mmCIF file of all heavy atoms in Angstrom:
data_model
loop_
_atom_site.group_PDB
_atom_site.id
_atom_site.type_symbol
_atom_site.label_atom_id
_atom_site.label_comp_id
_atom_site.label_asym_id
_atom_site.label_seq_id
_atom_site.Cartn_x
_atom_site.Cartn_y
_atom_site.Cartn_z
ATOM 1 N N PRO J 130 -4.930 6.091 -18.478
ATOM 2 C CA PRO J 130 -4.059 5.594 -17.426
ATOM 3 C C PRO J 130 -4.430 6.277 -16.051
ATOM 4 O O PRO J 130 -4.810 7.424 -16.032
ATOM 5 C CB PRO J 130 -2.673 5.980 -17.855
ATOM 6 C CG PRO J 130 -2.762 6.499 -19.230
ATOM 7 C CD PRO J 130 -4.211 6.739 -19.481
ATOM 8 N N ILE J 131 -4.275 5.545 -15.017
ATOM 9 C CA ILE J 131 -4.538 6.080 -13.647
ATOM 10 C C ILE J 131 -3.225 6.579 -13.041
ATOM 11 O O ILE J 131 -2.295 5.846 -12.994
ATOM 12 C CB ILE J 131 -5.221 4.987 -12.789
ATOM 13 C CG1 ILE J 131 -6.560 4.610 -13.410
ATOM 14 C CG2 ILE J 131 -5.393 5.460 -11.378
ATOM 15 C CD1 ILE J 131 -7.313 3.496 -12.737
ATOM 16 N N ILE J 142 -0.088 2.275 2.502
ATOM 17 C CA ILE J 142 -0.833 1.020 2.388
ATOM 18 C C ILE J 142 -2.270 1.290 1.916
ATOM 19 O O ILE J 142 -2.973 2.088 2.520
ATOM 20 C CB ILE J 142 -0.903 0.247 3.714
ATOM 21 C CG1 ILE J 142 0.508 0.073 4.236
ATOM 22 C CG2 ILE J 142 -1.711 -0.980 3.645
ATOM 23 C CD1 ILE J 142 0.648 -0.458 5.658
ATOM 24 N N TYR J 143 -2.718 0.607 0.929
ATOM 25 C CA TYR J 143 -4.104 0.701 0.419
ATOM 26 C C TYR J 143 -4.752 -0.602 0.848
ATOM 27 O O TYR J 143 -4.316 -1.700 0.521
ATOM 28 C CB TYR J 143 -4.113 0.914 -1.084
ATOM 29 C CG TYR J 143 -3.456 2.176 -1.466
ATOM 30 C CD1 TYR J 143 -2.125 2.214 -1.867
ATOM 31 C CD2 TYR J 143 -4.150 3.384 -1.267
ATOM 32 C CE1 TYR J 143 -1.503 3.418 -2.123
ATOM 33 C CE2 TYR J 143 -3.471 4.605 -1.533
ATOM 34 C CZ TYR J 143 -2.201 4.613 -1.932
ATOM 35 O OH TYR J 143 -1.596 5.787 -2.195
ATOM 36 N N ALA J 144 -5.777 -0.413 1.665
ATOM 37 C CA ALA J 144 -6.345 -1.589 2.414
ATOM 38 C C ALA J 144 -7.840 -1.459 2.635
ATOM 39 O O ALA J 144 -8.445 -0.496 2.136
ATOM 40 C CB ALA J 144 -5.620 -1.710 3.749
ATOM 41 N N CYS J 151 -4.682 -7.190 5.554
ATOM 42 C CA CYS J 151 -4.463 -5.791 5.836
ATOM 43 C C CYS J 151 -4.265 -5.526 7.288
ATOM 44 O O CYS J 151 -3.327 -4.870 7.702
ATOM 45 C CB CYS J 151 -5.637 -4.911 5.319
ATOM 46 S SG CYS J 151 -5.985 -5.115 3.518
ATOM 47 N N ILE J 152 -5.094 -6.091 8.085
ATOM 48 C CA ILE J 152 -5.048 -5.918 9.555
ATOM 49 C C ILE J 152 -3.730 -6.452 10.101
ATOM 50 O O ILE J 152 -3.049 -5.805 10.879
ATOM 51 C CB ILE J 152 -6.245 -6.595 10.229
ATOM 52 C CG1 ILE J 152 -7.545 -5.872 9.838
ATOM 53 C CG2 ILE J 152 -6.080 -6.653 11.759
ATOM 54 C CD1 ILE J 152 -8.818 -6.680 10.141
ATOM 55 N N VAL J 155 -0.737 -4.014 8.941
ATOM 56 C CA VAL J 155 -0.794 -2.813 9.696
ATOM 57 C C VAL J 155 -0.303 -3.001 11.118
ATOM 58 O O VAL J 155 0.464 -2.298 11.629
ATOM 59 C CB VAL J 155 -2.162 -2.157 9.602
ATOM 60 C CG1 VAL J 155 -2.290 -1.048 10.645
ATOM 61 C CG2 VAL J 155 -2.431 -1.601 8.228
ATOM 62 N N GLY J 162 7.520 -0.419 14.414
ATOM 63 C CA GLY J 162 7.782 0.977 14.395
ATOM 64 C C GLY J 162 8.082 1.552 12.986
ATOM 65 O O GLY J 162 8.728 2.594 12.849
ATOM 66 N N PRO J 164 6.991 3.682 9.993
ATOM 67 C CA PRO J 164 5.995 4.669 9.704
ATOM 68 C C PRO J 164 5.337 4.411 8.391
ATOM 69 O O PRO J 164 5.969 3.946 7.410
ATOM 70 C CB PRO J 164 6.814 5.997 9.636
ATOM 71 C CG PRO J 164 8.220 5.665 9.677
ATOM 72 C CD PRO J 164 8.405 4.203 9.985
ATOM 73 N N GLU J 166 1.464 5.458 5.913
ATOM 74 C CA GLU J 166 0.206 6.089 5.767
ATOM 75 C C GLU J 166 -0.720 4.977 5.258
ATOM 76 O O GLU J 166 -0.340 4.136 4.524
ATOM 77 C CB GLU J 166 0.324 7.173 4.751
ATOM 78 C CG GLU J 166 -0.874 8.061 4.510
ATOM 79 C CD GLU J 166 -0.627 9.198 3.573
ATOM 80 O OE1 GLU J 166 0.208 9.114 2.678
ATOM 81 O OE2 GLU J 166 -1.240 10.273 3.823
ATOM 82 N N ALA J 167 -2.000 5.007 5.706
ATOM 83 C CA ALA J 167 -2.944 3.954 5.288
ATOM 84 C C ALA J 167 -4.236 4.579 4.816
ATOM 85 O O ALA J 167 -4.698 5.591 5.320
ATOM 86 C CB ALA J 167 -3.242 3.007 6.414
ATOM 87 N N TRP J 179 -6.872 2.786 -8.596
ATOM 88 C CA TRP J 179 -5.402 2.689 -8.753
ATOM 89 C C TRP J 179 -4.942 1.287 -8.372
ATOM 90 O O TRP J 179 -4.192 0.652 -9.071
ATOM 91 C CB TRP J 179 -4.674 3.713 -7.905
ATOM 92 C CG TRP J 179 -3.201 3.573 -8.099
ATOM 93 C CD1 TRP J 179 -2.430 3.954 -9.098
ATOM 94 C CD2 TRP J 179 -2.302 2.785 -7.192
ATOM 95 N NE1 TRP J 179 -1.114 3.570 -8.907
ATOM 96 C CE2 TRP J 179 -1.018 2.876 -7.749
ATOM 97 C CE3 TRP J 179 -2.482 2.155 -5.979
ATOM 98 C CZ2 TRP J 179 0.079 2.242 -7.159
ATOM 99 C CZ3 TRP J 179 -1.393 1.537 -5.380
ATOM 100 C CH2 TRP J 179 -0.137 1.606 -5.972
ATOM 101 N N LYS J 181 -6.569 -1.517 -8.483
ATOM 102 C CA LYS J 181 -6.974 -2.411 -9.632
ATOM 103 C C LYS J 181 -6.027 -2.216 -10.805
ATOM 104 O O LYS J 181 -5.694 -3.164 -11.506
ATOM 105 C CB LYS J 181 -8.412 -2.110 -10.057
ATOM 106 C CG LYS J 181 -9.386 -2.671 -9.012
ATOM 107 C CD LYS J 181 -10.795 -2.390 -9.256
ATOM 108 C CE LYS J 181 -11.340 -2.036 -10.590
ATOM 109 N NZ LYS J 181 -12.774 -1.795 -10.714
ATOM 110 N N SER J 182 -5.573 -1.026 -11.088
ATOM 111 C CA SER J 182 -4.738 -0.763 -12.244
ATOM 112 C C SER J 182 -3.379 -1.353 -12.130
ATOM 113 O O SER J 182 -2.691 -1.679 -13.143
ATOM 114 C CB SER J 182 -4.589 0.742 -12.495
ATOM 115 O OG SER J 182 -3.702 1.364 -11.591
ATOM 116 N N VAL J 183 -2.903 -1.617 -10.906
ATOM 117 C CA VAL J 183 -1.605 -2.275 -10.766
ATOM 118 C C VAL J 183 -1.718 -3.730 -10.407
ATOM 119 O O VAL J 183 -0.645 -4.387 -10.215
ATOM 120 C CB VAL J 183 -0.761 -1.501 -9.693
ATOM 121 C CG1 VAL J 183 -0.470 -0.122 -10.103
ATOM 122 C CG2 VAL J 183 -1.341 -1.554 -8.293
ATOM 123 N N ASN J 187 -7.747 -6.357 -10.647
ATOM 124 C CA ASN J 187 -8.275 -6.852 -9.385
ATOM 125 C C ASN J 187 -7.973 -5.913 -8.210
ATOM 126 O O ASN J 187 -6.833 -5.390 -8.131
ATOM 127 C CB ASN J 187 -7.656 -8.254 -9.033
ATOM 128 C CG ASN J 187 -8.053 -9.263 -10.096
ATOM 129 O OD1 ASN J 187 -9.164 -9.512 -10.417
ATOM 130 N ND2 ASN J 187 -6.993 -9.803 -10.731
ATOM 131 N N ARG J 188 -8.948 -5.683 -7.405
ATOM 132 C CA ARG J 188 -8.719 -4.839 -6.232
ATOM 133 C C ARG J 188 -8.147 -5.684 -5.092
ATOM 134 O O ARG J 188 -8.843 -6.036 -4.102
ATOM 135 C CB ARG J 188 -10.035 -4.157 -5.791
ATOM 136 C CG ARG J 188 -9.778 -2.964 -4.887
ATOM 137 C CD ARG J 188 -11.049 -2.314 -4.524
ATOM 138 N NE ARG J 188 -11.717 -3.143 -3.516
ATOM 139 C CZ ARG J 188 -12.587 -2.703 -2.627
ATOM 140 N NH1 ARG J 188 -12.978 -1.444 -2.704
ATOM 141 N NH2 ARG J 188 -13.109 -3.473 -1.751
ATOM 142 N N VAL J 189 -6.896 -5.979 -5.165
ATOM 143 C CA VAL J 189 -6.196 -6.825 -4.199
ATOM 144 C C VAL J 189 -5.644 -5.894 -3.095
ATOM 145 O O VAL J 189 -4.910 -4.961 -3.391
ATOM 146 C CB VAL J 189 -5.035 -7.617 -4.879
ATOM 147 C CG1 VAL J 189 -4.417 -8.526 -3.824
ATOM 148 C CG2 VAL J 189 -5.583 -8.410 -6.018
ATOM 149 N N LEU J 194 2.288 1.151 -1.781
ATOM 150 C CA LEU J 194 2.995 2.021 -2.718
ATOM 151 C C LEU J 194 4.179 2.611 -1.935
ATOM 152 O O LEU J 194 4.007 3.088 -0.766
ATOM 153 C CB LEU J 194 2.055 3.187 -3.146
ATOM 154 C CG LEU J 194 2.674 4.317 -3.938
ATOM 155 C CD1 LEU J 194 3.271 3.749 -5.263
ATOM 156 C CD2 LEU J 194 1.679 5.384 -4.180
ATOM 157 N N GLY J 198 7.953 5.044 -6.126
ATOM 158 C CA GLY J 198 6.999 4.695 -7.222
ATOM 159 C C GLY J 198 6.756 3.250 -7.429
ATOM 160 O O GLY J 198 5.877 2.871 -8.227
ATOM 161 N N ASN J 203 0.205 -7.458 -1.280
ATOM 162 C CA ASN J 203 0.199 -8.422 -0.187
ATOM 163 C C ASN J 203 1.584 -8.743 0.329
ATOM 164 O O ASN J 203 1.890 -9.957 0.498
ATOM 165 C CB ASN J 203 -0.624 -9.639 -0.507
ATOM 166 C CG ASN J 203 -1.097 -10.379 0.764
ATOM 167 O OD1 ASN J 203 -1.049 -9.854 1.860
ATOM 168 N ND2 ASN J 203 -1.508 -11.573 0.550
ATOM 169 N N GLU J 208 9.194 -7.647 4.452
ATOM 170 C CA GLU J 208 9.492 -7.098 3.112
ATOM 171 C C GLU J 208 9.318 -5.524 3.135
ATOM 172 O O GLU J 208 10.114 -4.813 2.632
ATOM 173 C CB GLU J 208 8.615 -7.702 2.062
ATOM 174 C CG GLU J 208 8.814 -7.143 0.674
ATOM 175 C CD GLU J 208 7.817 -7.745 -0.330
ATOM 176 O OE1 GLU J 208 7.310 -8.862 -0.101
ATOM 177 O OE2 GLU J 208 7.616 -7.120 -1.429
ATOM 178 N N GLU J 210 9.303 -3.618 5.776
ATOM 179 C CA GLU J 210 10.367 -2.968 6.669
ATOM 180 C C GLU J 210 11.669 -2.825 5.932
ATOM 181 O O GLU J 210 12.300 -1.805 6.053
ATOM 182 C CB GLU J 210 10.516 -3.838 7.903
ATOM 183 C CG GLU J 210 11.534 -3.339 8.921
ATOM 184 C CD GLU J 210 11.715 -4.235 10.143
ATOM 185 O OE1 GLU J 210 11.584 -5.394 10.029
ATOM 186 O OE2 GLU J 210 11.967 -3.603 11.202
ATOM 187 N N TYR J 213 11.363 0.040 3.441
ATOM 188 C CA TYR J 213 11.316 1.248 4.212
ATOM 189 C C TYR J 213 12.783 1.691 4.544
ATOM 190 O O TYR J 213 13.142 2.838 4.386
ATOM 191 C CB TYR J 213 10.458 1.231 5.422
ATOM 192 C CG TYR J 213 10.683 2.451 6.257
ATOM 193 C CD1 TYR J 213 10.110 3.617 5.971
ATOM 194 C CD2 TYR J 213 11.493 2.378 7.371
ATOM 195 C CE1 TYR J 213 10.363 4.768 6.720
ATOM 196 C CE2 TYR J 213 11.727 3.483 8.146
ATOM 197 C CZ TYR J 213 11.099 4.661 7.816
ATOM 198 O OH TYR J 213 11.430 5.820 8.571
ATOM 199 N N GLU J 215 15.556 0.900 3.230
ATOM 200 C CA GLU J 215 16.243 1.262 1.951
ATOM 201 C C GLU J 215 15.870 2.679 1.577
ATOM 202 O O GLU J 215 16.765 3.492 1.268
ATOM 203 C CB GLU J 215 15.916 0.311 0.884
ATOM 204 C CG GLU J 215 16.426 0.604 -0.488
ATOM 205 C CD GLU J 215 15.826 -0.260 -1.593
ATOM 206 O OE1 GLU J 215 15.711 -1.510 -1.364
ATOM 207 O OE2 GLU J 215 15.443 0.282 -2.602
#
Side-chain angles (χ1 to χ4, degrees):
I131 296 178
I142 303 169
Y143 299 98
C151 300
I152 294 165
V155 166
E166 185 174 33
W179 177 80
K181 287 176 18 179
S182 78
V183 298
N187 298 304
R188 196 180 76 157
V189 181
L194 174 62
N203 200 14
E208 179 183 340
E210 181 180 33
Y213 168 77
E215 172 190 317

